[in-house]
Amino acid sequence: MEEITGKSITGMVTIGPLRIFRRKGFEVKEEKVERPETEVARLDSARNAAAARMKEFYQEAISRVGLDNAAIFKIYQQMLTSSEFIDSVRAMIRNQSINAEAAVAQAEKNFSEVYGTDPDAYMASHISDIQEIARILLRTLRQKKALFSGEEPCILYADDLTPNETIQMETGKILGFITKEGTPASHTAILARALGVPAIVATGKDIEDSFDGKIAVIDGFSGTVYLEPTEGILSVMKEKQDQSIRLKELLQQLKGLPSVTEDGKKVEIAANVSSASDLAAVLKNDAEGIGLFRSEFIYMGRDSLPTEEEQFNIYKLALETMAGKRVIIRTLDIGADKEASAFHLPKEENPALGLRAIRICLKQPDIFKTQLRSILRASAYGRAAIMFPLITSVWEVWKAKEILNEVKMELDKKGIAYDHHMEVGIMIETPAAALISDKLAQEVDFFSIGTNDLSQYTLVVDRTSRVLSEFFNPYHPAVMKLIRMSVENAHKEGIWVGICGELGSDLSMTEAFLRMGVDEFSAAPYSVLPLRKQVRSLNLSEKK
Ligand code: PEP
Ligand code: MG
């Protein structure tokens, strides 16, 4: 038996045969070519094919691991479309009359040599992106798909996995991951969390090929991997595995129970969704409603705007599926990291500070009105609520409500049914909104706090940045102060307040948020039952 330790990603135990994934290196031979332009054309066609693949991966990754974590594929797509690296490969083919493969390999080597020793963390991460682009291009030029697809369920070992590799894994067959490198924020870790399987990263130890096919155990509670475990270890681990399965079952028993603390404070635990395909998970996890329907996903990944009818059908399906439970539809939150080509948004220096979300809607009321009409019409089929994103000023709420009223009047004239009492709320996700939440609370029926953007805009850190992660601290006292202030102001005006950003699903924060007075949590569907368990275990009457 061999024992290795590393950083654990999920507290779970898994047992199964080990499969070793080794990245196949590409042996690149330099050849002289007579017509360099033919090689440039070959490069361009591989580049276009690879960029199109990255676009598909981006869409797929959004639903698997969320928008922020999917962003890397967007970066790859952009680098393949136009970058210094690609310019350098082209120049090399033309100046040296060499084949595309040799130029890619040589350019990658040059970039690594020039920038590889740069102490700047940004450059280090840029180099690893260039290395990945080179691998993708070489694989495409050779039309190879050297990726893992296991025949039977297994625990996968790799030195590390790139995002491009993880997205192509046949994930249904993976019981867990072990990687020599990586961090809890690496792509292997993100994928493991999304799949709900254990992973141990950063073991610092290579596993020899002789272990391929042998039994391995991942103990995600202690961060230990056992290779070819002894009978004794195997039976202890099986018991631990049974215990964690029992915990999962225990969570299942919480279905149908109220989300109420020991001392009787009742809260609502709802789910965040991005599309109709998430509805099954919402029901399976017994969410008490949909606290955030990210409607912008209906607009993304297509070249034309969705029609009123198309949107109406999606919202109606969500409302009927939720059968009377509240469904909060957030109006389109396009812009910044959520690109939708149909909007033809201008290129901006700082898109996160630019034309996005409610700003687009107020500037293009026709698009806004189409969405509002579809939501209002769907509201006749359940309990819909509407929510406006990225609010910073009271006038924006007035204007958005004015447009909503115009649409209501148009529907009234035509005798089209809708819910006349539909709640209207706003996201509190900018420091400005939190700071004037006393005024905003007089205008709406509820607040939902978006801790992702609230942290980004308070801390001045791009939420998608991979090099600034140590500066992105959503627990920062400034963020907490803004949350507390918003909750207090909401309650002073007698409206309810929820949290729909990532921080809402952080169980270590549940008690603090409840003590602040938060009335609702909305999180990924798989977080609903753990949150209910946490709420039910708390007693707020005990002084802290
Ligand atoms: C947020 O900003 O916290 C939020 C919930 O909205 P999104 O993540 O979609 O921007
Ligand atoms: Mg947001």
Side-chain angles (χ1 to χ4, degrees):
M1 180 177 86
E2 202 168 307
E3 203 177 309
I4 314 172
T5 54
K7 293 197 173 100
S8 173
I9 303 304
T10 42
M12 275 187 241
V13 174
T14 194
I15 302 170
L18 187 76
R19 279 288 307 273
I20 294 180
F21 171 80
R22 301 236 186 257
R23 190 170 297 138
K24 300 203 174 56
F26 289 101
E27 229 187 76
V28 175
K29 253 208 208 142
E30 185 179 305
E31 285 162 20
K32 287 280 172 202
V33 293
E34 278 187 14
R35 291 197 193 90
E37 281 317 311
T38 312
E39 277 312 285
V40 170
R42 256 187 84 226
L43 171 80
D44 284 343
S45 123
R47 210 172 47 69
N48 288 335
R53 218 167 54 239
M54 292 306 123
K55 192 173 174 189
E56 281 167 23
F57 290 171
Y58 175 62
Q59 292 302 336
E60 195 182 329
I62 287 173
S63 60
R64 271 211 218 165
V65 296
L67 197 67
D68 291 358
N69 295 317
I72 185 70
F73 294 107
K74 189 105 232 163
I75 296 173
Y76 288 172
Q77 190 196 334
Q78 279 156 0
M79 286 174 74
L80 283 160
T81 308
S82 124
S83 59
E84 254 187 317
F85 176 70
I86 295 292
D87 291 347
S88 157
V89 175
R90 273 210 203 93
M92 232 172 249
I93 297 175
R94 288 191 174 121
N95 298 341
Q96 301 176 29
S97 300
I98 56 173
N99 53 329
E101 287 90 339
V104 169
Q106 188 55 43
E108 189 258 295
K109 200 163 159 248
N110 292 353
F111 271 74
S112 301
E113 272 172 18
V114 174
Y115 297 111
T117 49
D118 200 313
D120 181 345
Y122 174 75
M123 268 340 284
S125 97
H126 188 52
I127 282 300
S128 70
D129 291 342
I130 286 177
Q131 287 165 342
E132 185 60 10
I133 292 296
R135 268 197 293 270
I136 293 169
L137 272 177
L138 288 175
R139 201 178 287 136
T140 313
L141 281 163
R142 293 178 174 193
Q143 299 182 329
K144 267 196 181 172
K145 269 196 181 169
L147 284 174
F148 164 84
S149 89
E151 291 81 43
E152 56 169 342
C154 63
I155 294 174
L156 191 74
Y157 166 78
D159 283 353
D160 196 9
L161 292 169
T162 66
N164 179 45
E165 285 162 347
T166 52
I167 198 82
Q168 293 181 71
M169 299 266 159
E170 224 185 283
T171 47
K173 302 262 177 64
I174 297 175
L175 299 169
F177 295 97
I178 307 165
T179 62
K180 180 177 159 192
E181 288 149 28
T183 66
S186 62
H187 288 85
T188 314
I190 291 162
L191 185 65
R193 277 192 211 103
L195 294 176
V197 299
I200 306 286
V201 300
T203 62
K205 213 168 171 281
D206 191 25
I207 296 183
E208 288 168 17
D209 286 341
S210 60
F211 285 106
D212 194 75
K214 305 273 167 61
I215 289 292
V217 177
I218 295 180
D219 177 357
F221 294 97
S222 67
T224 313
V225 174
Y226 301 97
L227 302 172
E228 287 195 283
T230 59
E231 278 304 314
I233 288 286
L234 204 55
S235 83
V236 171
M237 286 298 130
K238 276 190 178 144
E239 174 54 29
K240 226 174 170 177
Q241 187 180 33
D242 286 348
Q243 267 175 21
S244 64
I245 291 170
R246 279 201 292 277
L247 178 69
K248 257 195 176 166
E249 285 167 0
L250 204 71
L251 285 178
Q252 295 303 307
Q253 288 171 16
L254 292 176
K255 284 187 179 176
L257 295 182
S259 303
V260 58
T261 61
E262 277 185 7
D263 55 317
K265 159 121 177 134
K266 170 96 184 67
V267 290
E268 185 172 320
I269 303 181
N272 292 349
V273 300
S274 311
S275 69
S277 59
D278 292 336
L279 293 171
V282 174
L283 294 181
K284 198 167 146 226
N285 290 283
D286 195 33
E288 293 157 44
I290 291 176
L292 171 62
F293 190 132
R294 289 181 160 104
S295 73
E296 56 275 11
F297 283 85
I298 303 170
Y299 295 74
M300 292 164 68
R302 53 189 292 163
D303 296 324
S304 61
L305 290 167
T307 63
E308 180 184 321
E309 218 46 36
E310 212 175 312
Q311 293 193 63
F312 163 73
N313 285 324
I314 296 170
Y315 304 141
K316 177 171 173 270
L317 176 66
L319 285 156
E320 286 177 338
T321 306
M322 295 311 289
K325 290 179 181 163
R326 183 169 45 212
V327 176
I328 302 178
I329 301 164
R330 176 174 73 184
T331 56
L332 57 96
D333 187 21
I334 288 297
D337 50 338
K338 293 174 199 160
E339 268 183 39
S341 51
F343 285 87
H344 304 294
L345 295 176
K347 273 251 164 293
E348 293 176 290
E349 283 293 321
N350 289 305
L353 307 183
L355 186 56
R356 54 169 299 198
I358 195 69
R359 300 170 184 181
I360 298 178
C361 292
L362 298 183
K363 277 181 162 292
Q364 302 195 43
D366 287 349
I367 295 177
F368 193 31
K369 276 185 158 183
T370 304
Q371 180 171 39
L372 295 176
R373 223 172 1 251
S374 64
I375 298 173
L376 279 168
R377 282 175 53 207
S379 72
Y381 296 85
R383 187 177 165 204
I386 202 163
M387 177 157 77
F388 303 125
L390 207 77
I391 294 295
T392 55
S393 304
V394 176
W395 74 263
E396 294 162 346
V397 182
W398 287 341
K399 187 82 197 148
K401 286 204 310 188
E402 191 183 302
I403 298 174
L404 180 66
N405 280 335
E406 278 171 30
V407 179
K408 282 183 180 177
M409 282 188 316
E410 285 165 21
L411 292 180
D412 286 338
K413 259 195 207 150
K414 290 185 182 158
I416 296 174
Y418 64 91
D419 176 4
H420 289 250
H421 305 289
M422 186 175 72
E423 285 175 284
V424 176
I426 54 167
M427 299 273 305
I428 299 286
E429 54 181 347
T430 63
L435 291 166
I436 58 162
S437 51
D438 52 343
K439 298 281 181 288
L440 291 169
Q442 295 168 10
E443 305 298 330
V444 292
D445 300 313
F446 66 91
F447 286 164
S448 188
I449 302 174
T451 53
N452 311 335
D453 276 318
L454 187 61
S455 307
Q456 156 165 275
Y457 292 123
T458 307
L459 305 171
V460 202
V461 179
D462 179 347
R463 62 192 259 189
T464 64
S465 169
R466 288 177 299 148
V467 292
L468 294 175
S469 53
E470 73 258 47
F471 299 99
F472 189 81
N473 170 18
Y475 309 96
H476 193 292
V479 179
M480 292 301 131
K481 254 190 182 174
L482 292 173
I483 295 176
R484 182 187 294 277
M485 180 187 284
S486 307
V487 177
E488 283 171 3
N489 285 329
H491 288 175
K492 269 187 209 150
E493 290 299 329
I495 66 168
W496 64 268
V497 53
I499 292 194
C500 63
E502 287 297 307
L503 208 56
S505 56
D506 183 335
L507 301 182
S508 70
M509 292 300 296
T510 313
E511 179 167 2
F513 288 145
L514 287 178
R515 287 186 184 275
M516 285 186 201
V518 168
D519 305 289
E520 183 242 29
F521 293 89
S522 191
Y526 63 83
S527 291
V528 168
L529 292 173
L531 267 169
R532 184 173 298 159
K533 181 170 183 289
Q534 185 72 348
V535 166
R536 289 174 65 88
S537 72
L538 295 169
N539 190 333
L540 305 175
S541 66
E542 288 163 6
K543 284 269 168 292
K544 277 259 166 97

